[in-house]
Amino acid sequence: MLGASKPEAIEVRVAAHSSMRGRCSQCHVACPGYDRLEQRRWQFVPLWNIPVWFVYAPRRVECPQHGVVVERIPWSDGKRPLTLAMMGFLARWARRLSWRETAEVFQVSWESVYRSVEWFVEWGLAHRVLSGIEAIGVDEIHWGHGLKADNFLTVIYQIDAGCRRLLWIGKRRTEKTLRLGLEALGPAVVPGAALCLQ
Ligand SMILES: [Zn+2]
């Protein structure tokens, strides 16, 4: 409506189709219903820069194989408060803007941007081929105000000519963080690649 003030948020109330059974979140098989959990909210991609939230009370189902479990929710990953679409959206923008700018522009916390990039990188690690990486670089990202270890992230990149991509991120910038990162990348990457500390 012209002249109306901008709404603070759009809430999308999602309801399960009454004739369709929920699916087990482990094996994705349709199972008899068990009960319904409390309503939850997930942040979706903003429309016209207005924050959008999905609101839904997940069902629990009784799977013959996995027992009573939460149903599979196609837009959700576990307890994460952002939809998969929003995590992909933020992670992609975080490659073009700084993480801080991404958080400001899309009115989310810095933590949400960090979690989205982390989720995207983890997903990538599980789904892509890591062989043939010749050089990896380690860098740090500072956020927040202080200079405490908690205000830094350690990031590991592939920095081969023609292929620069984020491979791993972890909280803090300690030796332990770096060791965890190198372990996560595994022997396919680490012994073969030259490590460049930036
Ligand atoms: Zn199951």
Side-chain angles (χ1 to χ4, degrees):
M1 204 196 306
L2 222 71
S5 60
K6 190 180 141 191
E8 280 171 20
I10 297 169
E11 274 190 1
V12 180
R13 295 184 174 272
V14 183
H17 195 291
S18 57
S19 67
M20 278 165 73
R21 298 197 296 180
R23 291 177 178 274
C24 167
S25 48
Q26 311 281 313
C27 62
H28 300 183
V29 168
C31 301
Y34 183 77
D35 64 0
R36 191 174 282 277
L37 299 175
E38 293 245 322
Q39 195 168 273
R40 267 184 65 188
R41 289 156 61 87
W42 293 258
Q43 192 164 8
F44 187 66
V45 179
L47 286 176
W48 308 291
N49 215 23
I50 303 166
V52 178
W53 294 85
F54 281 8
V55 181
Y56 180 63
R59 296 173 292 185
R60 287 201 297 174
V61 297
E62 197 160 13
C63 173
Q65 206 186 330
H66 300 103
V68 175
V69 291
V70 181
E71 67 177 317
R72 174 176 177 268
I73 303 172
W75 63 84
S76 174
D77 180 11
K79 294 196 167 18
R80 291 176 184 271
L82 304 180
T83 57
L84 301 181
M86 182 59 160
M87 289 195 286
F89 178 83
L90 291 176
R92 282 194 199 91
W93 274 105
R95 294 172 68 169
R96 302 176 62 173
L97 305 174
S98 75
W99 293 10
R100 194 185 305 276
E101 285 169 321
T102 306
E104 277 168 18
V105 170
F106 299 110
Q107 303 170 57
V108 295
S109 66
W110 199 92
E111 181 84 14
S112 292
V113 177
Y114 164 69
R115 293 283 173 211
S116 298
V117 174
E118 179 190 53
W119 169 83
F120 209 62
V121 169
E122 276 170 10
W123 186 90
L125 270 189
H127 291 87
R128 73 192 164 202
V129 179
L130 286 175
S131 58
I133 295 177
E134 288 180 353
I136 55 179
V138 178
D139 206 351
E140 62 186 32
I141 291 180
H142 176 241
W143 63 287
H145 297 292
L147 290 174
K148 296 194 303 272
D150 285 346
N151 289 116
F152 289 87
L153 301 174
T154 299
V155 289
I156 304 178
Y157 291 95
Q158 175 181 2
I159 50 170
D160 291 338
C163 185
R164 186 183 162 92
R165 58 181 177 171
L166 184 56
L167 295 173
W168 188 84
I169 57 176
K171 281 203 162 161
R172 305 166 77 91
R173 53 162 178 178
T174 58
E175 210 184 302
K176 188 179 160 213
T177 313
L178 182 56
R179 204 169 330 113
L180 283 174
L182 296 175
E183 275 167 21
L185 293 176
V189 174
V190 176
L195 179 63
C196 307
L197 292 166
Q198 293 175 333

